[in-house]
Amino acid sequence: MADRVRAWRPDVPHLREVLHAEFTEHAYPSHTHGDWAVLLIDDGAVAYDLDRHPHTAEPTTVTLLPPHVPHDGRTARAGRPFRKRVLYLDESWLPPDTIGHSVDQPTVARPDVGAAVRHVHGALVGGDAFEAESELVRIHDLLREHLHGPTPPAATDAPLARRLRELLDAAVADGVTLEEASRVLGAHPSHLVRSFSRAYGMPPHRYLTSRRVDLARRLVLDGLAVADAAVAAGFHDQAHLTRHFRAVLGATPGAFARSARS
């Protein structure tokens, strides 16, 4: 029986579904699905068989379940519920030869992967699709490294990074997805993120967020209501703006508005 279940389909490339759930007694029978599942356990633990081999998903790790491979799932601690969050990504998200490797290595005990997965969920709940897309590109690269070993670093592509920055600067409020930028600039999203991060010391989603905070600050100081400034600057809502505004500037947009009036 499910105590709590929330599922939705965000507008993020490759991300087909998100599930947040807490189960007390439910046990998944053996089944398959056509997507990659990136599983995060928040509390409790899940025992599961993947391709008839036993594993345990713990809060300290991330579990990568490949498409088309039978698996089941149940609480690993009798009488104790488990809470989980799952990202379902389409089959093309990782290359086909990754499936066999993930059957052998479904447990990812890397703090950087866990942190990135949590950032995706936080961005999705906060309504920041661009941040979620950018973090998913990072997770993609980290998981490929986990399964295949590290790849040689690519040469810095400063001209490409500058073109991406210009693209972001031209669409601060409306935004642009990495998939759209990839088509416009003729480069893979992973290469875009790596090149931009090397050139400017931050990933593109953080750069765009800082530009939006700048825009919202100016609008608030000009007298626009905070809720209206949030929408005009490209934020999901006032709460989304406030979270990033405080993180960047150390104060809420309301405090800036009050200071301007005084």
Side-chain angles (χ1 to χ4, degrees), residues 19-39:
L19 173 68
H20 292 184
E22 179 175 349
F23 290 103
T24 54
E25 299 177 357
H26 177 67
Y28 287 95
S30 182
H31 65 286
T32 65
H33 41 70
D35 304 317
W36 289 95
V38 179
L39 169 66

Side-chain angles (χ1 to χ4, degrees), residues 104-115:
D104 297 331
Q105 306 175 67
T107 301
V108 186
R110 292 181 49 158
D112 52 357
V113 175

